[in-house]
C-alpha cells in the first residue's frame, strides 16, 4: 500500500502521479486547484465524530459532538456503552445515530472491528470491514479511511460534491452515480483519495465563483 496521507509531501506525490496519468487532473492542478491534507484523529473518537456529523450542518454537528464528548470521558467504546439512550438523546443524537454508535462501540469492544489495523489493509478490504457494522454505510467508511487514517486510495464515490465535481471537470452530461464514479476512478489507483480531495477542492472553487455557499 502507498504511504499514508500524513504529510503534504505525500499528498504532493499523489497529486504528481495523478497529473501524469490523467490530463483532466493535470488541467485542474495547472489552474490552481490544490487539495488539502485535513486529517482528524483515527480510532473510535474519529469514527464517532463522522457518524455524529452525518446529514447535519457543521455547526450542529459540532454542538452535538461537544455535548456528547462531555459525557464521554475518556472517549472510548466502553464509555459510550455505559451511557443510557437518554444520555445520548440529551446530547442531541437521533435514534438512528444512537443505534449506529452502539453498534460501532460493541464491534470494537468485542474485537470484531480492528480499527487499529485498518491502515494496513487495502482500501477496499478496510471499507468492507467497516460497512459490515450496522449503520455504517459506504460514505461513512470511506470518509473515515480518508480523513482519519489518511488512506491514499479510499474513495467516497457516493459523495454528491465529488460526483458533481467529476461531472463538471470531465464534461459529463449528467452527474455520475457511485457505480459510474467508481469506474471512472479506476485509473486513479492507488491515489483515489487524493483525486477525491482534488475534486472537493474543485467543487469549492466552482461554487465560490458562482457565489453559492460551500
Amino acid at each position: 500500500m502507498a504511504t499514508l496521507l500524513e504529510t503534504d509531501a505525500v499528498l504532493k506525490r499523489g497529486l504528481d502521479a495523478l497529473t501524469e496519468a490523467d490530463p483532466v487532473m493535470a488541467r485542474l492542478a495547472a489552474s490552481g486547484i490544490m487539495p488539502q491534507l485535513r486529517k482528524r484523529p483515527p480510532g473510535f473518537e474519529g469514527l464517532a465524530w463522522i457518524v455524529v456529523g452525518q446529514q447535519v450542518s457543521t455547526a450542529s454537528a459540532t454542538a452535538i459532538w461537544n455535548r456528547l464528548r462531555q459525557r464521554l470521558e475518556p472517549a472510548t467504546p466502553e464509555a459510550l456503552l455505559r451511557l443510557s439512550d437518554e444520555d445520548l438523546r440529551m446530547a442531541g443524537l437521533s435514534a438512528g445515530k444512537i443505534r449506529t454508535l452502539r453498534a460501532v462501540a460493541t464491534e470494537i469492544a468485542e474485537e470484531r472491528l480492528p480499527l487499529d489495523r485498518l491502515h494496513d489493509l487495502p482500501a477496499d478490504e478496510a471499507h468492507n470491514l467497516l460497512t459490515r457494522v450496522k449503520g455504517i454505510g459506504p460514505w461513512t467508511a470511506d470518509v473515515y479511511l480518508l480523513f482519519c487514517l489518511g488512506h491514499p486510495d479510499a474513495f467516497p464515490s457516493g459523495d454528491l460534491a465529488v460526483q458533481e465535481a467529476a461531472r463538471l471537470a470531465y464534461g459529463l452530461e449528467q452527474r455520475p452515480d457511485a457505480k459510474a464514479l467508481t469506474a471512472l476512478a479506476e485509473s486513479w489507483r492507488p491515489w483515489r483519495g487524493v483525486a477525491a480531495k482534488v475534486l472537493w477542492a474543485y467543487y469549492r472553487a466552482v461554487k465560490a465563483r458562482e457565489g453559492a455557499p460551500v
Side-chain angles (χ1 to χ4, degrees):
M1 189 186 78
T3 305
L4 295 178
L5 294 173
E6 296 180 316
T7 65
D8 287 327
V10 176
L11 185 66
K12 185 178 185 303
R13 266 180 53 200
L15 183 59
D16 289 345
L18 288 171
T19 57
E20 287 182 15
D22 186 328
V24 175
M25 286 286 165
R27 175 172 56 81
L28 294 180
S31 71
I33 300 299
M34 293 299 296
Q36 297 180 2
L37 199 57
R38 286 186 178 176
K39 278 201 68 184
R40 297 193 63 84
F44 173 71
E45 187 167 352
L47 183 53
W49 161 259
I50 293 170
V51 171
V52 167
Q54 290 173 347
Q55 298 178 327
V56 298
S57 69
T58 300
S60 294
T62 300
I64 295 168
W65 177 253
N66 288 340
R67 290 194 294 270
L68 177 61
R69 191 64 181 80
Q70 289 173 0
R71 292 164 168 81
L72 291 175
E73 191 53 53
T76 63
E78 293 78 12
L80 185 131
L81 292 172
R82 286 194 293 268
L83 295 177
S84 68
D85 283 359
E86 182 60 24
D87 287 329
L88 297 174
R89 280 194 294 270
M90 290 295 291
L93 291 167
S94 66
K97 290 182 180 180
I98 291 172
R99 286 193 297 271
T100 297
L101 288 174
R102 287 201 182 281
V104 169
T106 298
E107 291 295 302
I108 296 171
E110 297 182 0
E111 300 184 350
R112 290 190 294 269
L113 179 61
L115 278 189
D116 59 337
R117 291 191 284 109
L118 291 184
H119 62 278
D120 291 326
L121 302 175
D124 293 341
E125 187 175 341
H127 171 101
N128 289 339
L129 280 173
L130 284 165
T131 54
R132 287 176 189 171
V133 180
K134 190 171 184 179
I136 298 295
W139 182 88
T140 301
D142 289 322
V143 167
Y144 175 78
L145 292 174
L146 183 55
F147 286 99
C148 293
L149 294 189
H151 202 305
D153 201 37
F155 188 67
S157 59
D159 188 272
L160 294 180
V162 174
Q163 292 175 354
E164 179 62 10
R167 182 188 72 81
L168 295 169
Y170 287 83
L172 305 177
E173 291 186 3
Q174 58 186 15
R175 189 173 68 203
D177 60 14
K179 183 177 180 180
L181 192 54
T182 297
L184 177 65
E186 278 300 307
S187 65
W188 301 333
R189 289 182 184 269
W191 298 103
R192 292 181 302 170
V194 178
K197 288 176 176 288
V198 171
L199 292 172
W200 270 313
Y202 178 56
Y203 180 82
R204 289 192 295 270
V206 169
K207 291 303 177 183
R209 288 198 297 267
E210 292 175 352
V214 295

